[in-house]
Amino acid sequence: MIVRNGRIAPENLGPTITVGEILVEIMASTTGFGFKEPQTLIGPFPSGAPAIFIDQVARLGGAAGIIATVGADDFGAVNIERLRRDGVDTSAISISPDRPTGSAFVRYRDDGSRDFIFNIMHSAAGSVILTSSAETLIAKAGHVHVMGSAFAIPGADKVIDAAIRSVRSREGSVSFDPNVRKELLGSGNFRSQFETMIQNADLLLPSGEELFVAAGVDGEIAAIKALHARGVGEIALKRGRQGATFFGESGARFDFHGFEVDEIDPTGAGDAFGATYLTSRRQGLGPEVSLERAAAAGAHNVTKRGPMTGLPDTAQLDLFLSTNPRRTA
């Protein structure tokens, strides 16, 4: 492990890159439980947490790239076309000749919870390797963003490690979104990979109980102190529709209560939040302003159906900020 410098690297140091799964999402048009009866489906929508994240970075004017694999099929093409159109460097996306692009089928229940059927591990998304194109992208990166979901992909840990070492050699920075259920952390290599990321992260972007999993202790204040003591400089805690909180290692804290919006599809909101917070910081904005912009991006995204459909560009984000009411508590 190369020691972190405790700051988020500015945009001019090089692009933000990420590693992980690219999927298509196909969703039921009605609420209900699972997929045991015939129903109308809509999609495919470009998806995958790292893909959503990096697309939002690019839409906000940040230099961005992704290392991933898709199949030689229409589902892969629709993802690459979307990312490329929004300005993402897609040169390190491999195309598998014998595995299909990963997929996620989702159905919403009346209470907003979701049922998923994933095809990741036996798809192209379940294979990430350090190609020469990936090495070229890594060599110019200024920041690496890691999603916990990538830990389940064989070989992704080697690519992530190479990327972190490379950006650290140029005084770049690292962010980590745990994006994982605590039940998945108890076996195999998962826990050690998670701990390595906590040791490397300059910025942590947890949701809910992920904060306690990351810290290894219960209680919000205790968890924040434990993470700062381990060298995590900034923590932006996502609280869903209740907003978000920034915790700085100097003791600074900013609470933002979120926006009043009509939610249509929550998938991708956390990824939009994380990408906007990071990109705002890399572009020189302070943590309080970045937190509000991040919450706005997440709120904007839930108003559209499809994980990337509601990702705002800079003009859309500014309009949303100027026209939408904030929650008071």
Side-chain angles (χ1 to χ4, degrees):
M1 181 185 70
I2 299 175
V3 178
R4 58 191 153 195
N5 57 28
R7 66 177 180 85
I8 297 175
E11 184 75 21
N12 61 13
L13 192 65
T16 296
I17 66 170
T18 192
V19 180
E21 71 277 12
I22 291 178
L23 314 171
V24 290
E25 186 166 308
I26 298 169
M27 62 185 69
S29 60
T30 59
T31 58
F33 289 80
F35 293 92
K36 294 181 179 179
E37 71 283 337
Q39 56 201 269
T40 303
L41 305 174
I42 56 174
F45 295 101
S47 190
I52 300 166
F53 176 94
I54 209 66
D55 195 75
Q56 180 67 90
V57 172
R59 286 185 64 78
L60 296 176
I66 185 170
I67 301 169
T69 308
V70 299
D73 51 38
D74 286 350
F75 288 169
V78 76
N79 273 285
I80 291 175
E81 289 167 6
R82 167 62 193 249
L83 293 168
R84 187 176 292 154
R85 184 180 73 238
D86 286 343
V88 177
D89 183 338
T90 61
S91 62
I93 298 178
S94 299
I95 299 178
S96 172
D98 50 15
R99 288 191 180 192
T101 300
S103 60
F105 289 77
V106 60
R107 192 177 195 191
Y108 292 89
R109 301 180 181 181
D110 289 335
D111 64 0
S113 61
R114 293 170 286 177
D115 291 321
F116 285 97
I117 296 177
F118 288 105
N119 177 26
I120 298 178
M121 294 311 299
H122 299 291
S123 74
S127 175
V128 175
I129 57 176
L130 190 61
T131 63
S132 59
S133 295
E135 291 176 332
T136 298
L137 180 62
I138 287 170
K140 61 185 179 182
H143 182 93
V144 177
H145 177 75
V146 178
M147 296 280 190
S149 57
F151 297 158
I153 302 174
D157 57 336
K158 296 181 178 62
V159 180
I160 291 168
D161 181 67
I164 291 174
R165 289 180 177 276
S166 179
V167 300
R168 288 296 187 212
S169 71
R170 296 187 296 281
E171 298 188 347
S173 52
V174 176
S175 55
F176 178 44
D177 184 336
N179 192 33
V180 68
R181 297 181 184 276
K182 66 179 181 180
E183 290 81 6
L184 296 176
L185 292 172
S187 61
N189 197 32
F190 218 97
R191 170 63 72 173
S192 64
Q193 291 176 331
F194 193 93
E195 290 299 324
T196 296
M197 286 310 309
I198 297 300
Q199 293 167 17
N200 274 282
D202 300 292
L203 167 64
L204 185 67
L205 294 156
S207 298
E209 68 177 14
E210 292 172 354
L211 176 68
F212 312 127
V213 176
V217 298
D218 291 328
E220 186 168 289
I221 299 304
I224 295 299
K225 288 182 177 179
L227 289 165
H228 284 325
R230 293 167 66 184
V232 180
E234 295 189 19
I235 301 166
L237 177 62
K238 294 173 282 185
R239 302 186 187 274
R241 64 184 61 192
Q242 278 70 51
T245 302
F246 163 83
F247 299 93
E249 60 184 341
S250 65
R253 171 175 177 158
F254 306 122
D255 290 287
F256 185 76
H257 297 300
F259 293 88
E260 299 281 358
V261 296
D262 293 325
E263 180 180 293
I264 294 176
D265 182 2
T267 304
D271 307 317
F273 175 100
T276 303
Y277 182 85
L278 172 67
T279 304
S280 298
R281 295 290 285 127
R282 293 203 70 199
Q283 291 174 343
L285 299 178
E288 189 168 11
V289 173
S290 298
L291 192 75
E292 182 178 23
R293 292 178 69 80
H300 189 281
N301 200 43
V302 306
T303 64
K304 306 291 184 180
R305 191 177 302 279
M308 294 189 194
T309 310
L311 296 179
D313 60 22
T314 301
Q316 291 169 330
L317 184 62
D318 289 342
L319 178 62
F320 183 92
L321 283 161
S322 68
T323 57
N324 280 268
R326 279 72 168 166
R327 295 181 185 273
T328 58

